């Protein structure tokens, strides 16, 4: 959000039912991912335009599931591959998953 235009956030994203543990951004693609204690990771497309009159674009692309809950914790960390649009997630269940 732009502090010159408003002190309120542009949009509140409510894509998870549990606590969000990590958010990461892809270095080359307009993608970001968030992971949560609800055992899911959400990949979204985000774009901010140079023209301040246009609103930023935020579109959820895919909800990824595969981890199981361990002591009320789900997916703890996620990171994108440096060149490919692949996502690695690490969960409290002890697994590291790769989504291609």
């Amino acid at each position: 959000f732009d502090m010159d235009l408003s002190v309120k956030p542009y949009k509140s994203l409510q894509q998870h039912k549990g606590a969000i543990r990590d958010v990461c951004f892809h270095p080359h693609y307009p993608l970001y991912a968030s992971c949560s204690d609800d055992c899911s990771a959400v990949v979204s497309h985000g774009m901010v335009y140079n023209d301040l009159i246009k609103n930023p674009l935020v579109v959820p692309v895919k909800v990824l599931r595969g981890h199981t809950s361990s002591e009320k914790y789900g997916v703890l960390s996620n990171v994108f591959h440096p060149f490919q649009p692949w996502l690695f997630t690490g969960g409290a269940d002890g697994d590291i998953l790769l989504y291609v």
Side-chain angles (χ1 to χ4, degrees), residues 34-49:
S34 60
C35 62
S36 172
D37 283 341
D38 62 3
C39 296
S40 70
V42 177
V43 177
S44 299
H45 177 274
M47 180 77 74
V48 177
Y49 300 100

Side-chain angles (χ1 to χ4, degrees), residues 18-92:
I20 295 175
R21 295 294 175 179
D22 193 16
V23 175
C24 66
F25 297 89
H26 196 281
H28 300 293
Y29 294 103
L31 298 173
Y32 70 92
S34 60
C35 62
S36 172
D37 283 341
D38 62 3
C39 296
S40 70
V42 177
V43 177
S44 299
H45 177 274
M47 180 77 74
V48 177
Y49 300 100
N50 289 334
D51 185 7
L52 294 178
I53 295 175
K54 273 187 150 179
N55 287 330
L57 176 68
V58 177
V59 180
V61 177
K62 188 76 174 174
V63 177
L64 305 170
R65 301 188 192 283
H67 289 281
T68 57
S69 182
S70 176
E71 297 178 18
K72 298 183 183 178
Y73 296 109
V75 186
L76 302 176
S77 180
N78 59 6
V79 65
F80 278 105
H81 185 276
F83 303 109
Q84 300 295 330
W86 300 346
L87 184 69
F88 295 88
T89 60

